[in-house]
Amino acid sequence: MNVLRQVISRRSIHLAPRLPLETTYKENGIKGLMSAQQFQTAWCDYQSYLTRNLTLRTVDSEYETRTPMAIALSTAKDPQKADIFHYASQAHNNHFFFQQLKESSPFNENEIKPSLLRSLQSTFQSMENFKNELLLAADVMSGNGWVYLIEDENKILKIVSCNNDGTPYLYTRNQSVDLNATFEYSDFKKLQRQREDLKNGVKDYSLPLLCINVWEYAYLVDYGVNGKAEYLEKLWDSIDWNVINKRVFSNIEM
């Protein structure tokens, strides 16, 4: 009995973290963005599915007690651990996305920390241009994936598209080139540069700040198969810039 108790105490089950307003969202949805049913599907059901499968694939392994982010970073370069990477990366991405949501309200740039606002306006010329570029990147994604606003090691802001289960933390696994779509010469050159960077030991210091969920489960219940553009427009007004502000100056570990 004592041995069994010791074994159980060492095991760690990956569970879906609770969002601050999860109870409210379960009952009422996220006003202006998601119904209660859509929230149940996209957060409660899907996040539980991801963490349950992550637990099954990491039990009795070195990844058992690590966070999804740490697991994703540790397994990203190992093809034999692609299934572990998938569930870890998806669990982190989905949590990162839902953390930044709030009930819909008209966009107010005064909610953005001045230094971040200046960077956005300098990089994209205006907040309207930034919005258009961000949502366009999500709209033209032909399949499932994530679109991130990141800050690189030079404090330069960039929009990065991560197809499928791609992660924004590693250029070698952000999957910004969709290999299932038309493959252009510029895509080939981009992959070549990444290969050379990997060969030369170039590190990736990307800091993700904002995430757009472009997986169908995030909008299909409320918006239907043709409602992606409407979902993205409403999503813009549900971004909690207080969360984004904190990400600029904090270390992310989820």
Side-chain angles (χ1 to χ4, degrees), residues 12-26:
S12 177
I13 298 176
H14 296 284
L15 299 173
R18 287 194 62 80
L19 301 173
L21 296 177
E22 185 166 332
T23 300
T24 300
Y25 293 160
K26 280 183 178 180

Side-chain angles (χ1 to χ4, degrees), residues 40-56:
Q40 178 70 36
T41 297
W43 173 253
C44 304
D45 295 345
Y46 189 61
Q47 195 71 13
S48 294
Y49 162 78
L50 294 172
T51 52
R52 180 171 63 253
N53 276 278
L54 185 58
T55 295
L56 292 173

Side-chain angles (χ1 to χ4, degrees), residues 233-246:
E233 278 293 331
K234 290 188 176 181
L235 177 58
W236 175 257
D237 288 330
S238 292
I239 295 173
D240 188 344
W241 287 97
N242 291 319
V243 173
I244 311 303
N245 291 334
K246 293 174 183 176

